[in-house]
Every structure is written in structure tokens, then in C-alpha cells.
Amino acid sequence: ELFNVMIGRYLANASGATLDQIGHDVGEDRPLSGPAATDDDQYRVLIYGRIGANRSHGTRPDLLRILGLLA
């Protein structure tokens, strides 16, 4: 049980309200419309992109890395 709870907190495994909280924590609230509004996998892509943007220094390699996360 505890193992499943811990694994569910990782971004790659999170869903529903847990995923919403992770998104909120990194500054990417779930959109109100569009595919990511109801699809956790689509929303997870946005969160990965936000994390990349948050860690970016605006360089070309940073931009390419973020685009790679979104692909």
C-alpha cells in the first residue's frame, strides 16, 4: 500500500487530483478546455513543458530541450 502511494506521487505515474496538485506546484494549472482538461496524459505533457521552461535560461539548447519534452 505505502509503495503504491509513493509511486503515485511521481509525475510519470500521477493522475487526477494528484496530477492537478503537481501542475499547480510548478505553475501549470489544468486548462479548463482542450484535450488536457480531461486527459491526464495530455496534461502531463504540459507539466513537463512547464518544468522545462522553469529551468530554462532562454538559450537555444534549452528551447530545443523543452520542445523535445513536448513531442
Side-chain angles (χ1 to χ4, degrees), residues 1-62:
E1 273 307 307
L2 182 58
F3 180 75
N4 290 336
V5 170
M6 290 172 42
I7 294 298
R9 294 286 302 156
Y10 289 113
L11 177 54
N13 302 318
S15 63
T18 302
L19 191 61
D20 291 346
Q21 184 61 52
I22 293 170
H24 179 76
D25 290 346
V26 301
E28 187 65 44
D29 290 325
R30 189 183 287 265
L32 299 177
S33 62
T38 57
D39 185 321
D40 285 346
D41 291 331
Q42 293 289 321
Y43 182 41
R44 189 175 292 109
V45 170
L46 296 179
I47 294 171
Y48 278 123
R50 173 63 67 180
I51 292 169
N54 289 348
R55 297 182 54 155
S56 171
H57 298 300
T59 64
R60 183 174 297 193
D62 285 343

